[in-house]
Amino acid sequence: MISHKNLKFLRKFIDGGGHVLLISGRNVNYLEKTKRKIKRDIDYAGCNGAFISVKGQFIKRFYLDNTLALKTLRAIKKKYPGVAFLVMSEKYNFVFPRQGFSFIYAIGYFVYRLNQGVYRELTIRDDRLHDYCLEHERNYKIMIYFGVSKKSK
C-alpha cells in the first residue's frame, strides 16, 4: 500500500505541520484504509474528484445523474453488446453484474483479486444489486469494461 520509507516520511511531514491531501480514483473504503495505515489525519479526494473529505468530514459530494447515466449506458450497450459496467456508489464500493462477463474473465478476475493483497477492495457481483445501484443509489463513478463477454466478438 505504502512503503515503510514513505510512511515514515509522511508521518514526519505531518507531525512537522505539513498537510497531506490524498487524491485517488478509488472509493471511500480504500482511502480510509490508507488513512489508518498512515495513522495521521489526512484529507482526501476520491473517485476522480467525486467526493472530498477534509478533517474527517465530506465537504463535497458529486453524484452522477442516474437518468442520464442509464440512458448513456443503454446507448453504449446497444452499440457495443459485449460491454459491462462497474458501479461505485456512496453505499457500495464496487458492484459488478454477473451476466455480461465470460467464464474465462470471471476466473481471471478471481485470480487477480487473490493477488491484490493490501490493495484488494470489497467487490460485489450481483445483477440485481448492480441494476438497483444504477437506478437508485447515489453513484460516484461508473467504469466501462469492453471485451469481457462472448458477445464482444
Side-chain angles (χ1 to χ4, degrees), residues 21-31 43-53 58 60-62 88 140-141:
L21 172 64
L22 179 62
I23 300 173
S24 176
R26 296 194 183 233
N27 212 339
V28 176
N29 298 350
Y30 189 83
L31 296 171
D43 300 329
Y44 55 78
C47 281
N48 301 333
F51 57 84
I52 302 168
S53 174
F58 288 99
K60 294 283 183 189
R61 290 182 188 241
F62 302 96
M88 297 173 87
Y140 291 129
K141 180 176 173 179

Side-chain angles (χ1 to χ4, degrees), residues 36-58:
R36 285 190 302 275
K37 180 83 173 171
I38 296 170
K39 297 181 183 173
R40 302 292 188 276
D41 286 330
I42 63 166
D43 300 329
Y44 55 78
C47 281
N48 301 333
F51 57 84
I52 302 168
S53 174
V54 175
K55 296 182 180 167
Q57 300 294 315
F58 288 99

Side-chain angles (χ1 to χ4, degrees), residues 47 50 62-66 69-70 87-92 95 130-142:
C47 281
F62 302 96
Y63 303 105
L64 299 173
D65 176 319
N66 289 359
L70 276 170
V87 182
M88 297 173 87
S89 74
E90 182 178 72
K91 188 174 180 182
Y92 300 101
V95 182
H130 179 266
D131 293 345
Y132 177 84
C133 285
L134 284 173
E135 292 180 28
H136 304 290
E137 283 295 320
R138 294 199 265 184
N139 299 310
Y140 291 129
K141 180 176 173 179
I142 298 172

Side-chain angles (χ1 to χ4, degrees), residues 139-153:
N139 299 310
Y140 291 129
K141 180 176 173 179
I142 298 172
M143 295 171 61
I144 303 170
Y145 286 80
F146 289 91
V148 295
S149 75
K150 294 175 188 171
K151 294 179 184 178
S152 64
K153 295 176 185 173

